Amino acid sequence: MIEEILANLYKIEIPLPESPLKALNSYVIKNSERNLIIDTGWNQEECMNAMQTGLKELGVDLRKTDFFITHLHADHLGLVSNLITDTSKIYFNQPDADRLKAGFLWDDFVSFARLNGYPEKEVQAVGRSHPGLKFRSKENPVFHTLKEGDPISIGDYAFRCVATPGHSWGHLCLYEPGKKIFVAGDHILNDITPNIQLWSDEWNPLKEYLASLEKVYELDIELVLPGHRTIFRNYRERIRELRHHHEMRFDEIISILGKRSQNAFRVASQMSWDIVYDSWDVFPVSQKWFAIGEAIAHLKYLEEKGIIRREMRGKKRVFSLNSNHAI
Ligand SMILES: [Zn+2]
């Protein structure tokens, strides 16, 4: 499904079967010298078919095409290795490139999940069903890395990179100040809340995410082109909503920990999630995994703020309210 957004700028909808995200928005900017494709979809047949059909309809020659990938998640990066030709450049960010280079250390995720109370049998099931594992890029391609402020020009479009860490280590957006267009990746979405997860102790993604939201709030934008769902204009209102969403999450976690000290898995099971399942127990394992990662990101933020603390109880990590914040 192709939509013309602006002159020479198109959206191809790439389906993500069985994912609550439904589809990825891949943007194509056509130009007589070089075309640019922004984000690609999973490394999987339905994604490849949709991309090939779309590119054929648009008359895009992959031999004259470069790629910009907003971040390392498989729904954005996964398919790129199947599309590149000898002359293609893949623009990407250094922090996410470093992560990929270090390898996908599934064992580290698993031990962190166990530490946070994830049941053993479910950990094994996640390894089999996680879309990020199943549909990742078949190889680590060579990246041309960009950073905050770096320019990319294609035809009439003169973009500059805006670093928006949070959803991933080095998430990069593109801003076109003359046309007031913002290519948002998964930094701001209109219909769903970007998932901010944490699976290690080494950073505080939510702190970075909230700072990135403030940075984008200050830009002058007329049209946001997000990685999923609908294109939108009211970005400041949406940023206020996202900020509010995380404040509500903090309050929810404080009230859950007000009842008793508990591990992240237990905390996540009592939080409200906006996907439609009757109970926490019947959440698909991969959705549970995302939910726990998100709970851990919020717990980390509250811990760094001094509102909660963590300690080991046996082999598990539990969180408690600090006494000055007890309800
Ligand atoms: Zn995405």
Side-chain angles (χ1 to χ4, degrees):
M1 239 208 289
I2 296 174
E3 193 183 324
E4 183 170 11
I5 313 293
L6 292 162
N8 298 317
L9 194 163
Y10 303 85
K11 182 188 94 176
I12 304 179
E13 199 174 283
I14 309 289
L16 301 173
E18 293 173 43
S19 164
L21 295 168
K22 295 181 181 166
L24 171 99
N25 296 330
S26 176
Y27 297 99
V28 180
I29 303 176
K30 278 182 66 177
N31 180 246
S32 53
E33 287 160 27
R34 301 289 296 174
N35 309 298
L36 185 75
I37 297 179
I38 302 171
D39 290 339
T40 59
W42 285 329
N43 176 19
Q44 180 252 31
E45 202 181 344
E46 274 126 312
C47 293
M48 187 61 173
N49 290 343
M51 180 63 90
Q52 280 179 326
T53 307
L55 294 178
K56 196 170 170 201
E57 202 175 319
L58 290 174
V60 168
D61 181 351
L62 282 174
R63 289 169 303 180
K64 291 166 54 181
T65 300
D66 297 313
F67 297 84
F68 177 91
I69 306 295
T70 55
H71 63 291
L72 82 172
H73 293 154
D75 52 332
H76 299 255
L77 173 72
L79 193 61
V80 78
S81 300
N82 306 48
L83 301 170
I84 45 174
T85 61
D86 292 348
T87 63
S88 305
K89 269 189 186 159
I90 307 174
Y91 298 106
F92 197 52
N93 69 80
Q94 194 64 53
D96 284 3
D98 290 345
R99 280 280 139 183
L100 290 170
K101 206 170 165 193
F104 198 86
L105 302 172
W106 185 245
D107 289 348
D108 291 350
F109 283 83
V110 165
S111 40
F112 196 70
R114 281 195 194 108
L115 177 70
N116 282 288
Y118 212 90
E120 195 57 40
K121 63 177 191 316
E122 298 196 17
V123 169
Q124 303 306 331
V126 174
R128 290 189 295 272
S129 67
H130 194 298
L133 285 174
K134 274 202 302 193
F135 304 131
R136 62 185 148 157
S137 175
K138 61 183 178 199
E139 62 203 39
N140 273 350
V142 176
F143 295 118
H144 184 92
T145 55
L146 297 173
K147 58 181 187 315
E148 172 75 26
D150 283 349
I152 302 190
S153 290
I154 318 102
D156 289 343
Y157 293 87
F159 289 104
R160 68 175 165 83
C161 295
V162 181
T164 48
H167 180 72
S168 76
W169 292 267
H171 192 288
L172 267 190
C173 296
L174 289 177
Y175 179 49
E176 217 292 359
K179 296 186 168 52
K180 300 184 181 175
I181 306 166
F182 188 72
V183 179
D186 285 357
H187 179 55
I188 327 173
L189 303 171
N190 198 31
D191 319 77
I192 45 179
T193 310
N195 184 267
I196 311 299
Q197 297 188 52
L198 179 62
W199 288 101
S200 69
D201 283 323
E202 72 202 65
W203 70 315
N204 183 342
L206 203 51
K207 183 178 166 191
E208 300 213 19
Y209 179 70
L210 294 172
S212 297
L213 283 183
E214 295 314 306
K215 183 171 163 187
V216 173
Y217 194 91
E218 297 306 320
L219 299 176
D220 184 6
I221 298 169
E222 272 178 15
L223 197 65
V224 179
L225 308 182
H228 304 279
R229 311 283 181 94
T230 54
I231 289 168
F232 61 101
R233 295 180 181 275
N234 55 337
Y235 70 107
R236 286 202 172 117
E237 187 187 331
R238 185 61 186 142
I239 288 173
R240 286 195 294 271
E241 282 172 7
L242 290 170
R243 215 190 276 151
H244 179 69
H245 165 86
H246 291 293
E247 282 160 8
M248 299 293 284
R249 280 277 192 244
F250 293 138
D251 289 349
E252 193 177 27
I253 290 175
I254 289 169
S255 121
I256 290 168
L257 290 179
K259 291 184 234 160
R260 75 186 76 85
S261 305
Q262 40 201 311
N263 65 47
F265 184 87
R266 294 289 313 142
V267 171
S269 72
Q270 295 161 76
M271 290 167 72
S272 38
W273 302 103
D274 51 3
I275 59 174
V276 205
Y277 290 98
D278 288 342
S279 74
W280 171 257
D281 293 334
V282 296
F283 265 39
V285 280
S286 59
Q287 292 308 311
K288 243 184 215 178
W289 183 264
F290 292 137
I292 288 151
E294 197 166 327
I296 296 171
H298 285 82
L299 289 161
K300 173 78 172 183
Y301 184 92
L302 290 171
E303 188 196 333
E304 273 200 12
K305 284 266 178 196
I307 296 170
I308 66 171
R309 65 177 188 282
R310 65 175 149 98
E311 62 206 328
M312 290 301 289
R313 198 172 287 168
K315 287 185 175 168
K316 303 239 188 302
R317 175 180 283 179
V318 294
F319 294 86
S320 318
L321 278 191
N322 275 331
S323 51
N324 48 338
H325 284 92
I327 296 169

